[in-house]
Amino acid sequence: MSTDNFNDYVSSSFERLERRLNGHVNGPLHNLRRRALRQFIDVGIPTRRMEDWKYTSVINVINDAQFSSEKGAPAPAPAALPNEDVYHIVITPEGLDSAPFEADGLTVEVLTDELVIADERVRSTIGAILPIDTTPFVAMNTALHTTGVVIRITGNVTKPIHLDLIAHDASPDPLPSPRILVLASEHASATIVETVRSNPAAVLLPVCEIECQANAHLHWTRVLDDANNRHISAMAANVYGNGSVTVTTCIVDAAFVRNDVVIRLLEPGAQGFLFGVSVLDGQQFADNHTVVDHVMPHCHSEELYKGVYDDGSTGVFNGKIFVRQDAQKTTAYQSNRSLLLSPNAQVNAKPQLEIWADDVKCSHGATTGALDADAIFYLQARGIPKAEARRLLTMAFAMEVLERVPVESLRQSLERRMEQRLSR
Amino acid sequence: MQPLLEITNLHAGIEGRDILKGINLTVNPGEVHAIMGPNGSGKSTLASVLAGREDYSVSEGSVVFKGRDLLDLAPEERAGEGLFLAFQYPVEIPGVSTANFIKASVNAVRAYRGQDALEPAAFLALMRERMALVDMAPTFLSRALNEGFSGGEKKRAEVFQMAMLEPSLAVLDETDSGLDIDALRIVASGVNALRSPDRSFVVITHYQRLLSHIVPDVVHVLHNGVIVRSGGKELALELEERGYDWIRAEQGSEV
Ligand SMILES: Nc1ncnc2c1ncn2[C@@H]1O[C@H](COP(=O)(O)OP(=O)(O)OP(=O)(O)O)[C@@H](O)[C@H]1O
Ligand SMILES: [Mg+2]
């Protein structure tokens, strides 16, 4: 499909969507959708000529999505959270699979025009934390999302919240675009685990906006562990005084991933943590694009992305850190480490620090290398066969990120999945 | 009696450079051999070749260990057969705790020998017992192996690993270097506790000091890739006193 054809496809999808929305064509959400559509049509699908997409060709990925009306196979149950007592929120292209509910400091609602009209906080955040000009896919999601969910965290939510994104289910939509808005009130806290059930015909395009008010703490773990998964996502969090947001991205298996994550530290004491681990082989591809924006003084950010690349797989990391003029006493640390297990694997890493304040502590580092031959020999000399030595060292490399996954059972299942991966 | 280790006319080198130029060495069960010699004479190279480091190529000679061709075995098989090398420079293994490392190592060696993995409780008890042998605090078990260990701590950890693996032949490459006086005594007594009629040691060292604790049956001097002199424990004392110049002079005069 050419770029022009694709624009036509997006426009006609939008018209179909509009026809279903009897009555609401002038609601605030709908107006936002219209602006987003225009934005998308103006810019189009990103090409490699654009700086932020230099290493990442999306047109082929979009082309591989099957624009047919065949229904996908039923989704398998997610493997990542076995037997864990969770709040299970199932998001399909048709909508919220579970009824809206309220429990234990947690409210889940469907995003509608009525809600946007009635609720000042939703109105001021939706499309504002991730404006439509952020990336073409944010514009596309904003225009076309069929399922929007607003998750309010008002207290200390003790059970993990499991966001179960289903890319196909019984839907023919080749580009499911779930829209998620998380509003954490002051002093609230929650652990969110996002998983994806995909199929080879779909490209999932989720957009998540997060507002984390003062003293609230959110820990978001994104798990991509399906070899079929093609995923282009955007997430941004606005963090206020002494609040913190941690985003941990675990790519255990996926065909194609592009993740954009933005954390803005908007009041003193706000903290942002970004962790990621990717384990790829074959021709798999994962691109992590991150932005940490230090706007106010006395904020802290930490970032660690690790990648293990085998066969002909490719990793991309782009980490921007902005320290604005007012953001004195900032501490910001970024590190990106890649392990290349094969001579054909490759990684493109680019840290970008832009610092306008003078009293700050910032550092960044990127390393790319193979497994340490001395370490392999040391393990072998202790009786450990070479293949196992390699696996042990690779797991140790990945564990530095995995061990930060806050849900014990999830951490263990991810560990097992990774071990399986590395043995295949 | 069949020798435990028999090295015959061993020539080995790296990147086209000859380092070992005809080593002959026989170690019988229960014996302690010391190898001394100037820096760069090839002591660690010999240890690496015995342990199976691939970077070194053997151009001539043979090594027979327990009646098997040692050079034909992968490093992990050599460990399984009961060969242990305490490294001159132990490698830091970030992300792998000492406990998990030892567990993987011991169970791999047990699997090689056709034994079942140890039960976790029995394993932990054994680890504690063997750590006590070298006066290592149990807190080391949860730390990444060798990472941030002081020089002396690394050497103790090597002896601890040796105690766990119960080898038939342990090659200790300068296990005494970097140890303070008390640590030297502790490490030496740890080694002595493991001495037995069917366990042998090859102790590479620069100092007589260690050999007054671990008394060798034979002392060898390695010079420029060959063993140029072998003798009793007195040889170590003589070297301590006179240095290596007289050996060099002798070698020079022989050429
Ligand atoms: N990987 C290597 N590449 C090049 N040369 C090497 C390598 N390993 C050893 N050599 C050389 O081989 C010679 C013997 O080195 P070896 O480490 O065996 O000496 P050594 O007797 O253990 O010395 P020391 O007492 O200092 O530990 C040295 O000249 C050394 O530079
Ligand atoms: Mg040496």
Side-chain angles (χ1 to χ4, degrees):
Chain A
M1 186 178 284
S2 73
T3 308
D4 285 347
N5 291 346
F6 188 71
N7 282 359
D8 292 345
Y9 168 80
V10 171
S11 299
S12 60
S13 300
F14 186 79
E15 280 157 24
R16 269 201 308 278
L17 184 78
E18 232 173 8
R19 280 199 293 276
R20 293 215 304 268
L21 290 170
N22 35 30
H24 284 296
V25 285
N26 283 316
L29 190 57
H30 195 73
N31 284 330
L32 176 63
R33 285 179 187 276
R34 274 208 198 108
R35 285 200 304 280
L37 178 70
R38 274 198 300 278
Q39 171 75 24
F40 180 81
I41 300 293
D42 277 357
V43 181
I45 290 188
T47 68
R48 296 178 70 160
R49 283 189 298 279
M50 299 177 184
E51 183 60 30
D52 275 338
W53 301 84
K54 196 164 151 189
Y55 300 108
T56 308
S57 172
V58 289
I59 183 73
N60 294 331
V61 176
I62 296 282
N63 273 339
D64 288 345
Q66 286 161 25
F67 295 85
S68 71
S69 55
E70 270 172 52
K71 300 203 172 210
L81 277 166
N83 313 320
E84 185 74 33
D85 189 15
V86 295
Y87 292 112
H88 193 187
I89 302 174
V90 183
I91 299 173
T92 75
E94 279 70 49
L96 193 58
D97 217 29
S98 36
F101 69 96
E102 204 174 338
D104 182 29
L106 172 69
T107 312
V108 179
E109 296 159 277
V110 176
L111 177 68
T112 58
D113 269 295
E114 290 86 344
L115 185 64
V116 177
I117 291 164
D119 192 302
E120 152 62 23
R121 198 169 164 203
V122 173
R123 198 160 57 239
S124 66
T125 48
I126 192 81
I129 296 175
L130 272 173
I132 55 178
D133 60 359
T134 312
T135 73
F137 293 102
V138 170
M140 200 169 116
N141 174 292
T142 308
L144 292 184
H145 68 267
T146 47
T147 305
V149 178
V150 179
I151 299 170
R152 279 177 227 263
I153 294 152
T154 53
N156 174 25
V157 180
T158 49
K159 287 196 273 184
I161 300 167
H162 179 194
L163 286 182
D164 188 359
L165 304 190
I166 300 186
H168 56 117
D169 204 18
S171 159
D173 187 353
L175 301 170
S177 309
R179 181 76 178 206
I180 295 155
L181 176 63
V182 173
L183 301 171
S185 307
E186 289 189 16
H187 297 281
S189 65
T191 298
I192 294 171
V193 178
E194 176 194 338
T195 63
V196 165
R197 299 193 239 173
S198 193
N199 102 353
V203 182
L204 191 70
L205 306 165
V207 169
C208 310
E209 290 169 295
I210 300 165
E211 186 187 64
C212 181
Q213 288 189 340
N215 299 297
H217 301 283
L218 283 183
H219 203 309
W220 189 305
T221 305
R222 168 174 281 159
V223 178
L224 302 178
D225 65 350
D226 178 349
N228 287 328
N229 190 223
R230 281 171 297 160
H231 193 93
I232 302 174
S233 73
M235 172 186 279
N238 285 353
V239 192
Y240 295 90
N242 299 315
S244 74
V245 169
T246 305
V247 179
T248 306
T249 304
C250 302
I251 305 174
V252 191
D253 216 347
F256 177 93
V257 178
R258 163 68 182 237
N259 280 329
D260 283 77
V261 183
V262 179
I263 292 191
R264 297 187 196 96
L265 304 173
L266 297 171
E267 281 178 3
Q271 299 193 313
F273 301 90
L274 282 168
F275 305 116
V277 59
S278 311
V279 180
L280 307 184
D281 63 13
Q283 294 303 308
Q284 297 181 336
F285 177 95
D287 174 357
N288 285 293
H289 259 65
T290 67
V291 178
V292 178
D293 195 352
H294 283 261
V295 179
M296 283 291 151
H298 295 284
C299 292
H300 173 73
S301 69
E302 249 175 82
E303 184 167 8
L304 173 65
Y305 275 80
K306 290 190 137 184
V308 177
Y309 307 102
D310 204 351
D311 303 331
S313 61
T314 304
V316 179
F317 174 79
N318 185 296
K320 295 191 179 78
I321 297 177
F322 299 123
V323 181
R324 309 280 173 188
Q325 199 163 2
D326 288 338
Q328 301 295 357
K329 305 284 179 193
T330 285
T331 48
Y333 307 108
Q334 180 192 88
S335 162
N336 171 241
R337 315 223 169 273
S338 306
L339 189 55
L340 300 180
L341 298 181
S342 140
N344 298 324
Q346 54 171 317
V347 64
N348 297 295
K350 187 175 178 193
Q352 264 177 285
L353 272 59
E354 291 181 31
I355 301 172
W356 292 284
D358 46 31
D359 185 10
V360 302
K361 282 203 185 83
C362 293
S363 71
H364 67 89
T367 58
T368 301
L371 284 170
D372 178 7
D374 289 339
I376 294 174
F377 177 65
Y378 188 76
L379 268 67
Q380 282 184 278
R382 294 294 176 258
I384 300 169
K386 191 170 193 172
E388 198 188 325
R390 289 177 64 90
R391 198 156 54 236
L392 201 71
L393 293 171
T394 306
M395 276 308 290
F397 176 84
M399 278 311 287
E400 195 185 353
V401 171
L402 269 191
E403 69 194 8
R404 296 171 195 266
V405 169
V407 183
E408 175 70 23
S409 66
L410 175 62
R411 184 167 59 238
Q412 285 172 3
S413 81
L414 287 174
E415 217 180 304
R416 274 195 303 276
R417 285 281 286 124
M418 262 184 211
E419 257 159 14
Q420 285 165 8
R421 284 285 325 257
L422 297 171
S423 321
R424 83 187 181 194
Chain B
M1 180 171 53
Q2 187 194 7
L4 181 66
L5 177 76
E6 190 158 32
I7 304 176
T8 311
N9 190 31
L10 182 67
H11 288 252
I14 194 163
E15 289 156 9
R17 194 187 142 185
D18 293 336
I19 302 172
L20 302 182
K21 300 167 186 172
I23 303 268
N24 292 294
L25 177 67
T26 300
V27 178
N28 292 308
E31 287 179 351
V32 175
H33 289 239
I35 297 182
M36 304 181 81
N39 294 135
S41 56
K43 303 180 298 296
S44 294
T45 301
L46 175 61
S48 298
V49 170
L50 290 179
R53 179 124 213 180
E54 280 168 6
D55 314 60
Y56 296 92
S57 54
V58 173
S59 52
E60 222 184 309
S62 68
V63 181
V64 177
F65 180 63
K66 289 182 173 173
R68 293 190 62 170
D69 177 4
L70 187 74
L71 300 177
D72 205 31
L73 302 177
E76 59 268 27
E77 294 171 324
R78 300 180 194 203
E81 291 292 335
L83 180 77
F84 180 89
L85 168 62
F87 284 62
Q88 181 174 1
Y89 304 107
V91 183
E92 302 199 357
I93 312 287
V96 180
S97 73
T98 302
N100 282 341
F101 176 84
I102 307 267
K103 197 185 291 169
S105 161
V106 168
N107 286 335
V109 165
R110 289 182 69 89
Y112 181 87
R113 295 173 187 166
Q115 298 164 320
D116 289 339
L118 282 177
E119 292 293 316
F123 186 76
L124 192 66
L126 186 66
M127 279 202 297
R128 284 174 189 275
E129 180 202 312
R130 299 290 150 93
M131 282 182 107
L133 217 54
V134 286
D135 207 17
M136 249 178 112
T139 48
F140 279 96
L141 289 176
S142 58
R143 285 176 62 180
L145 183 72
N146 291 331
E147 196 181 37
F149 288 20
S150 75
E153 288 165 351
K154 283 179 182 164
K155 296 305 172 85
R156 285 190 207 198
E158 293 289 289
V159 177
F160 162 49
Q161 290 176 45
M162 174 176 80
M164 288 300 294
L165 289 171
E166 302 177 345
S168 323
L169 176 66
V171 179
L172 309 183
D173 191 355
E174 294 197 29
T175 302
D176 54 338
S177 70
L179 294 180
D180 66 37
I181 297 153
D182 291 336
L184 181 74
R185 204 175 303 128
I186 290 163
V187 163
S189 72
V191 170
N192 283 330
L194 294 169
R195 286 185 71 165
S196 83
D198 49 12
R199 181 170 296 136
S200 310
F201 294 85
V202 172
V203 180
I204 296 170
T205 183
H206 285 293
Y207 305 106
Q208 150 64 22
R209 235 177 23 179
L210 179 70
L211 301 180
S212 61
H213 294 286
I214 307 172
V215 181
D217 298 298
V218 195
V219 175
H220 308 276
V221 180
L222 188 63
H223 180 262
N224 196 18
V226 261
I227 291 177
V228 294
R229 191 174 273 264
S230 299
K233 58 181 194 261
E234 333 70 59
L235 180 56
L237 285 165
E238 192 177 357
L239 290 168
E240 180 103 327
E241 216 155 279
R242 300 175 63 188
Y244 290 113
D245 279 353
W246 61 284
I247 299 248
R248 286 196 185 97
E250 270 184 23
Q251 285 311 106
S253 64
E254 276 168 24
V255 172

